[in-house]
Amino acid sequence: MKRTSNILIAAALVSGALLSACGKNNRKPGSHYMPDMFESRAYEFYSERLSTMKPVEGTVKRGELLPYHLKAADTALANAVKNPLILTKADLEEGKRLFNIYCAICHGSKLDGNGPLYNGGNGPYVAAPANLGSGPKASYTEGRLFHVMTYGFNAMGSYASQLDREQRWKIAAYIRSFRNNGAEAAAVLAHDSTQAVPAAPAVTAAPAPAAQDSSATK
């Protein structure tokens, strides 16, 4: 009899627990510790195989610039590489914005190599960064500047992971346009179709008035 009562009591407790669980409002769960890790953000791919696939070798994403094939040691070839972008004033403004975010901390907003990290020798960097506005580095072409941002140079590391190819070209164009107090900005935009002055329409000669017939009666 005692064993039977124990079984009945256990069954009653289990039933009560199940009933309480069924009555829980699942739409209002309890508090989560670090919910951003418990509930992951939606992802485009749900197949593990597809989500880990790399793009097909040799392909280029729509709207993306062609890959840069020069190696780090090809500095001489980089000097002759032309900027593939058709630049506008908006592109130069974007290049300036990106430069001030990623480059000015070392090279300074005036491109004089006196950014906050150097600060006239009072900053944490004891060696002055390159002066991009005047001096030897000011003669760098846009291709060479792009190359340096891609692979780094001396103490400067690569920025290829922070800036895509189009952004690096815009920064290179801005650096060139800034030189000589902006005197080279016109040269940077010289091949921009939006800056071209439309040709004046050809002036056609007015037709000569017909000769008056002297025999006509007045």
Side-chain angles (χ1 to χ4, degrees), residues 116-136:
L117 290 181
Y118 181 64
N119 192 22
N122 297 318
Y125 282 9
V126 295
N131 187 330
L132 302 176
S134 61

Side-chain angles (χ1 to χ4, degrees), residues 22-100:
C22 293
K24 183 179 179 181
N25 186 358
N26 293 324
R27 293 184 176 274
K28 295 182 179 180
S31 300
H32 296 309
Y33 177 68
M34 301 182 72
D36 55 334
M37 296 184 66
F38 183 80
E39 299 176 357
S40 61
R41 297 176 62 184
Y43 192 61
E44 182 178 357
F45 294 111
Y46 295 94
S47 170
E48 183 178 357
R49 184 183 68 84
L50 293 177
S51 63
T52 56
M53 290 179 62
K54 295 182 179 180
V56 179
E57 186 176 357
T59 60
V60 179
K61 185 174 65 175
R62 186 186 299 272
E64 186 178 6
L65 296 179
L66 294 176
Y68 187 66
H69 295 294
L70 294 185
K71 305 301 180 183
D74 298 333
T75 54
L77 295 175
N79 291 325
V81 177
K82 302 298 182 182
N83 193 330
L85 302 179
I86 299 177
L87 297 165
T88 64
K89 290 183 178 180
D91 292 328
L92 292 185
E93 287 297 324
E94 177 65 6
K96 177 181 179 180
R97 186 186 73 86
L98 295 170
F99 180 91
N100 288 332

